[in-house]
Amino acid sequence: MKSSVLLSVVLLVAFLVTVSECQKDEEPEVGDLEAGSSETNVLSKRHIFHLFPKRQSFYVRLSRPQTNLGKNDIICFDNVVSDRQHLYNTRTGKFVCPRSGHYVFTWTLMTHHKRWVVSDLVVGGEVKGKLTVDSDEHYESGSTTVVVYVRRGATVYVRNIGGDGKIEAEVSSFAGWRLSKK
């Protein structure tokens, strides 16, 4: 429970920093959020894209469980929820950085009853984050977030480095977005 609250706080802070950066770089047109509009109090996908038109970001999930993953196998999240600029490749499981800068990457994995999994976030060939999920009596999930400088052209992916079970679908996800230009 405490880790879920901490993750929520970290993601909220990252989002607020991103909004702050966007407000410096790109002013949204006020006409999109007219007073009295039914969408005034709703931040829809259209408004997010309008507020962050040049920001690189993606959000992908597993549509089916991943089983028999070997050591160092890349976890290929195959269900694209959001990837406006087609930066994440569902076949290779890799994000290729289009512009250098600070990025936030977060991933969540869920394991089955009495199973465990260990994963790494690999950025430009170097491990920059690790997540271990160990289930006792029920399904268990875990999440982690990494903020890291990524050079243009570097690949970023989540790989399996250990475990004895499968990674469950739908809850398991991977997301990333750029925070800064430099």
Side-chain angles (χ1 to χ4, degrees), residues 62 64-71 73-76 110 112 115 117 160 163-169:
L62 290 178
R64 58 187 169 278
Q66 298 291 298
T67 57
N68 302 319
L69 287 170
K71 185 172 182 168
D73 281 354
I74 295 172
I75 301 169
C76 293
M110 176 180 267
H112 192 49
R115 304 290 185 179
V117 64
N160 179 62
D164 63 355
K166 65 182 181 181
I167 299 172
E168 294 296 328

Side-chain angles (χ1 to χ4, degrees), residues 54-73:
K54 297 179 183 176
R55 297 293 170 184
Q56 291 80 37
S57 64
F58 69 93
Y59 174 51
V60 292
R61 296 188 317 208
L62 290 178
S63 66
R64 58 187 169 278
Q66 298 291 298
T67 57
N68 302 319
L69 287 170
K71 185 172 182 168
N72 296 322
D73 281 354

Side-chain angles (χ1 to χ4, degrees), residues 111-122:
T111 59
H112 192 49
H113 173 73
K114 295 189 179 185
R115 304 290 185 179
W116 61 280
V117 64
V118 182
S119 63
D120 282 340
L121 178 74
V122 179

Side-chain angles (χ1 to χ4, degrees), residues 155-172:
T155 58
V156 180
Y157 55 90
V158 177
R159 73 177 177 194
N160 179 62
I161 61 164
D164 63 355
K166 65 182 181 181
I167 299 172
E168 294 296 328
E170 298 304 321
V171 172
S172 298

Side-chain angles (χ1 to χ4, degrees), residues 32-55:
D32 254 11
L33 292 173
E34 296 174 2
S37 163
S38 63
E39 294 183 293
T40 300
N41 295 321
V42 177
L43 191 58
S44 70
K45 199 182 251 188
R46 179 173 62 90
H47 293 125
I48 291 171
F49 288 146
H50 179 73
L51 290 172
F52 309 109
K54 297 179 183 176
R55 297 293 170 184

Side-chain angles (χ1 to χ4, degrees), residues 3 13-14 17-18 21 23 28 30-31 33 40 43 54 57 62 72 78 99 103 105 113 118 129 139 146 153 165 178:
S3 63
V13 169
V17 168
T18 301
E21 287 291 321
Q23 288 173 345
V30 179
L33 292 173
T40 300
L43 191 58
K54 297 179 183 176
S57 64
L62 290 178
N72 296 322
D78 61 331
R99 293 171 65 182
Y103 285 76
F105 296 100
H113 173 73
V118 182
Y139 289 87
V146 175
R178 187 169 69 95

